[in-house]
Amino acid sequence: MPRKNDPKGTVEKIVAVSSELFAQKGYEKTSMQDIVDALGMSKGAIFHHFKSKEEIFRAVIDKQSEYIKRQLQIWIEEMEGFTAREKLIGILNRNLHDFQAHALDSVLTAQAQSSQFVLSSIQESMNKAAPVIADIMREGQADGTITTDFPDECAELLLLLINMWCDPAVFTCDISRLTMRFRCLQRLMANMGVDVISDELLSECIELVHKLYNKRG
């Protein structure tokens, strides 16, 4: 157990253990008692830092968003010397295959009908990831590989459409409709000068979301 004089360590442990439980059991099926038992701490010690399970879950979302932001920086550093378009393609592919980046996807999908969780997740993504993507798009304007006149707006639009419109748990649809949404997104980005969604990536995105959709059903 973390020492009593290490509140930061205690909070980090609560968030880490709770994150694992949410990923394994889902948010609804994880009780505060489950968290207490897994941590081996008293309920009072946990409530000293978090008022509710919902507050813990929001902290988990924050941690996940910070992880994704750090990974973005790492991926960008790994692609030093690449064109901006190559970087964006690389980021999309790396994110798709990063297990930890998607560890909570099924949990958030299950909570999608609760607007508070959807809004929290999307806001975190927009605040931390969109500016990074937009900076790369501006880099692409300079090197000629990205031709959009709207780098900030395209970055935000890309994240919003992927995380909401292309999530069948948020906007219900079948696999055929989902496929058309992704194809529309692919065409929209290309027409706006951000041609970074390949047919292969498109298929893998559809497959990933379809798996989450089936789990939820």
Side-chain angles (χ1 to χ4, degrees):
M1 287 180 59
R3 295 186 301 274
K4 291 183 179 180
N5 62 350
D6 184 19
K8 181 179 179 181
T10 301
V11 168
E12 289 177 351
K13 183 174 181 180
I14 293 172
V15 172
V17 171
S18 298
S19 180
E20 292 179 5
L21 288 173
F22 291 144
Q24 292 168 5
K25 303 180 64 174
Y27 176 79
E28 294 295 344
K29 293 183 179 180
T30 300
S31 66
M32 280 300 298
Q33 191 59 51
D34 291 331
I35 296 173
V36 169
D37 293 342
L39 285 164
M41 297 170 59
S42 70
K43 189 171 292 187
I46 296 174
F47 280 123
H48 176 71
H49 299 285
F50 297 98
K51 297 178 182 178
S52 64
K53 184 177 74 169
E54 178 183 328
E55 192 170 295
I56 294 175
F57 189 57
R58 291 185 184 280
V60 168
I61 292 176
D62 289 344
K63 179 184 177 183
Q64 185 77 355
S65 298
E66 286 294 338
Y67 168 79
I68 292 172
K69 182 179 179 180
R70 288 196 305 272
Q71 286 302 113
L72 277 173
Q73 296 300 334
I74 291 172
W75 295 335
I76 291 170
E77 290 173 5
E78 290 174 348
M79 294 183 285
E80 184 179 355
F82 285 29
T83 66
R85 180 173 182 270
E86 290 169 339
K87 288 178 182 178
L88 289 174
I89 292 173
I91 286 171
L92 289 172
N93 276 284
R94 284 167 168 78
N95 178 68
L96 184 66
H97 295 98
D98 186 328
F99 174 79
Q100 188 170 341
H102 297 281
L104 292 176
D105 280 2
S106 60
V107 183
L108 291 170
T109 297
Q111 292 301 115
Q113 299 306 318
S114 174
S115 60
Q116 59 180 335
F117 290 118
V118 173
L119 183 59
S120 294
S121 178
I122 296 301
Q123 285 177 328
E124 286 299 318
S125 177
M126 294 293 287
N127 291 338
K128 294 175 181 175
V132 179
I133 301 299
D135 283 344
I136 298 176
M137 289 188 183
R138 276 187 282 273
E139 183 182 325
Q141 289 177 313
D143 69 23
T145 57
I146 300 294
T147 59
T148 184
D149 293 325
F150 309 97
D152 292 293
E153 292 75 16
C154 278
E156 293 170 353
L157 187 62
L158 180 62
L159 291 173
L160 280 172
L161 293 181
I162 287 178
N163 291 325
M164 295 189 71
W165 188 53
C166 292
D167 186 340
V170 180
F171 291 99
T172 305
C173 66
D174 57 22
I175 187 63
S176 175
R177 185 74 171 171
L178 177 64
T179 300
M180 292 304 293
R181 286 179 183 174
F182 270 107
R183 287 178 177 169
C184 179
L185 174 60
Q186 180 188 39
R187 182 74 61 83
L188 177 63
M189 287 293 107
N191 287 345
M192 293 186 72
V194 187
D195 186 10
V196 297
I197 303 177
S198 67
D199 289 338
E200 180 181 0
L201 179 65
L202 187 73
S203 297
E204 292 186 20
C205 286
I206 294 170
E207 182 180 356
L208 173 63
V209 178
H210 190 216
K211 286 179 180 178
L212 292 174
Y213 183 68
N214 284 340
K215 283 183 180 179
R216 184 176 180 269

